[in-house]
Amino acid sequence: MDEGTADDMPGAEAPAGDKRPCARGPVADHAEPYTGGPWRNYFLILLDRIPTPTAVCRADGEVLIANPAMAGQWGVAPGQLRGRNLLDLFKPRAAEQLRRIEEAVRLGHRSRYPVEVHWRAGADGAEREGELTVDPVGDPSEKPPALLALLRVRETAPLPEPRGTASPVEARILALAAGGATTASIGTALGLTVDGVNYHLTRLSRRWRVQGRTALVARAYVLGVLAADSWPPAPA
């Protein structure tokens, strides 16, 4: 998964032969409406609370914003998906589905386009599959438009999370909490909002069946999620 480069910045031309949806021509900065003012906070709070894995991308698939549910598929913080590309994160089952999206974006069509995808989860390395719904959004005059991507994970049977484990992001949150960090400072350190931190803490509380941050930290030490001989606290 390649990081974004200067060639991906607004106004840059895509490399010759780039087949990603609507990759040719100037790229509008779709993140601009969310970069300042109260609307940015409102949008991020809403995105954090949506349980469906969701991302807002450029027309070429570069991730601008992702919520905790989407980032959780790889066991990372949402900020760590920014600059990644959907085509690097997900592998489509049929190339024809991508060509439909490319053509729709080129012609300015606004509709939802499902893509059957598979990927390898970062938290446990398991192969997963599902449906990624791509929806061109934004001002109709904007060409190319931004893409709203919603992921529906397909599982043959519910897979309960092991009670004695924590994802890398959850372990880092617990380590900072064990050291006395506030929710806000944890969010700053990991690139999460306050709601994003609380989202992970709530999931841990339900999984481990404990209440309160103190009990969570104690449980993390008992389960070996945090190193017993490390200070400041650190994941095991």
Side-chain angles (χ1 to χ4, degrees), residues 143-227:
K143 295 182 180 180
L147 302 177
L148 178 66
L150 304 176
L151 177 64
R152 181 170 63 86
V153 181
R154 185 177 298 120
E155 294 178 340
T156 55
L159 298 176
E161 296 178 89
R163 291 185 57 199
T165 62
S167 71
V169 171
E170 290 169 341
R172 291 164 65 194
I173 289 174
L174 289 167
L176 290 169
T182 64
T183 303
S185 60
I186 292 173
T188 299
L190 301 183
L192 298 168
T193 64
V194 168
D195 280 315
V197 174
N198 287 330
Y199 167 83
H200 286 290
L201 291 174
T202 299
R203 288 188 66 195
L204 282 167
S205 294
R206 290 173 180 168
R207 189 187 314 158
W208 293 349
R209 299 177 186 175
V210 298
Q211 293 293 328
R213 187 170 301 191
T214 301
L216 269 177
V217 169
R219 188 71 169 151
Y221 277 112
V222 170
L223 295 172
V225 173
L226 296 180

Side-chain angles (χ1 to χ4, degrees), residues 9-133:
M9 295 301 290
E13 295 289 334
D18 194 334
K19 299 301 183 183
R20 289 173 175 170
C22 206
R24 294 176 290 278
V27 180
D29 186 1
H30 301 294
E32 185 176 354
Y34 313 115
T35 55
W39 290 109
R40 178 180 186 278
N41 291 332
Y42 299 154
F43 177 77
L44 291 177
I45 289 171
L46 176 61
L47 194 65
D48 278 346
R49 293 180 177 179
I50 296 175
T52 302
T54 306
V56 178
C57 312
R58 298 186 191 277
D60 63 358
E62 179 187 337
V63 176
L64 296 170
I65 307 170
N67 70 350
M70 178 68 85
Q73 295 298 317
W74 291 271
V76 300
Q80 291 177 279
L81 288 187
R82 180 177 173 85
R84 307 287 189 181
N85 196 287
L86 288 182
L87 294 181
D88 296 326
L89 298 170
F90 298 103
K91 303 303 178 186
R93 293 291 184 187
E96 180 60 32
Q97 294 178 318
L98 292 181
R99 286 193 286 270
R100 286 180 55 221
I101 299 175
E102 180 182 6
E103 183 69 6
V105 170
R106 185 181 68 81
L107 296 176
H109 294 169
R110 299 297 177 101
S111 186
R112 292 182 177 177
Y113 301 91
V115 181
E116 296 292 325
V117 295
H118 63 100
W119 67 100
R120 189 169 296 278
D124 55 14
E127 183 78 14
R128 294 183 181 175
E129 61 179 26
E131 182 180 85
L132 190 68
T133 302

